[in-house]
Amino acid sequence: MRGAIRLPPSGRVSQPDRDSRKMGRLGLVRDSDILAYYQLDGGITDSATAGLYDLSVQTGVERYSYYDNFRMLSLDGSSIMRHNASPAALELTAAMSLHALVVPAAQATGYFVTHDGTSDAAADNILYSLLMQTGGGKSQLEYFIEYSGGTNEFADVDCWPAIGVPLFLTLTRPTAATSVGFYVNGILFGTVVSLNAPTSGTAGQFRIGGSASGTNMYTGLIGEVQLLDTELTAAQVLEDARRVMPWL
């Protein structure tokens, strides 16, 4: 009969394998380029492997929650995690890539990840950052640095992160550091060019969930944060995204 659904012998319509919809882990596939990797699934002082750096609570509390059986760090807009020290290896001013798996819980400005210091006048105050910037009734993905004597520079793309939906975000920057690429779920969402390179220094720290001043704190879940000292290709970004979200 035309338009009829053909059933399998069991008489039941087969369903997609549920395991294919479960989120996974990034792992250490690009081991030589990875500077820091956090699964953020319980215990921020326990980095994923020996030789990577540990975090501590800057402000607020450390707590965890679940998204579809995937355990992630839960930030309520009042908590920030930071490095226990200021390792020079994380002071990136040239090529870099940053991955972060996020599930926003509010349309509010908040840093997913940043490397910043405490003085706005310092040239090295912000070497890189990825945040959600809200205003005018919308939210954008934004990259923020400071260069020279603490001059601010912003770059953003009109991507509106949905509340309660997992997003695998990637930021890439070439050696010249004069452009950035924004990827969402492994796909290039936009590129911003003609930027200035951040000025090097040692005053900043790597943070998750907020800035050094304790402002613009992120509300939502975050996990699988990975920092690399190379600019990943589009194919590599998609490969990493599919490791975390196999259905992409």
Side-chain angles (χ1 to χ4, degrees):
M1 183 174 63
R2 187 178 180 181
I5 298 176
R6 196 175 182 129
L7 297 178
S10 64
R12 293 166 40 187
V13 178
S14 60
Q15 298 294 326
D17 181 4
R18 180 170 176 79
D19 287 342
S20 69
R21 300 291 302 180
K22 290 182 179 179
M23 291 190 290
R25 297 293 182 189
L26 262 175
L28 299 170
V29 175
R30 307 179 205 288
D31 196 34
S32 61
D33 300 316
I34 297 171
L35 299 179
Y37 171 40
Y38 296 96
Q39 293 184 347
L40 299 177
D41 60 351
I44 60 171
T45 58
D46 182 18
S47 56
T49 187
L52 299 185
Y53 301 105
D54 295 332
L55 300 173
S56 62
V57 177
Q58 172 180 317
T59 185
V61 296
E62 176 188 358
R63 60 167 61 93
Y64 296 86
S65 188
Y66 288 86
Y67 182 89
D68 194 23
N69 295 320
F70 195 88
R71 197 165 192 243
M72 303 170 70
L73 182 66
S74 178
L75 300 174
D76 61 359
S78 64
S79 301
I80 301 173
M81 309 298 134
R82 69 178 176 191
H83 276 295
N84 298 320
S86 301
L90 304 190
E91 295 165 14
L92 300 179
T93 59
M96 62 162 288
S97 296
L98 173 69
H99 290 313
L101 174 64
V102 303
V103 185
Q107 290 284 3
T109 298
Y111 284 92
F112 301 122
V113 177
T114 185
H115 188 291
D116 68 342
T118 57
S119 172
D120 284 336
D124 62 338
N125 184 47
I126 300 179
L127 300 184
Y128 50 86
S129 63
L130 178 62
L131 63 148
M132 183 169 69
Q133 175 70 39
T134 61
K138 63 181 181 180
S139 296
Q140 299 172 313
L141 291 180
E142 187 170 88
Y143 162 82
F144 175 35
I145 63 149
E146 289 192 344
Y147 67 96
S148 186
T151 304
N152 294 346
E153 182 158 72
F154 303 87
D156 52 55
V157 290
D158 287 327
C159 174
W160 301 285
I163 301 303
V165 176
L167 299 170
F168 186 76
L169 305 178
T170 303
L171 178 75
T172 62
R173 188 173 72 186
T175 300
T178 54
S179 66
V180 292
F182 294 88
Y183 291 78
V184 180
N185 293 348
I187 303 301
L188 180 63
F189 198 90
T191 302
V192 180
V193 298
S194 300
L195 301 175
N196 291 280
T199 310
S200 62
T202 59
Q205 286 183 304
F206 184 82
R207 305 173 204 277
I208 294 175
S211 64
S213 62
T215 60
N216 295 327
M217 290 184 274
Y218 166 65
T219 301
L221 305 179
I222 186 166
E224 294 305 296
V225 171
Q226 192 173 94
L227 178 68
L228 305 93
D229 61 356
T230 187
E231 179 191 18
L232 295 177
T233 66
Q236 288 173 324
V237 172
L238 181 57
E239 179 185 353
D240 287 350
R242 284 175 170 165
R243 218 170 259 116
V244 176
M245 296 178 168
W247 58 88
L248 294 177

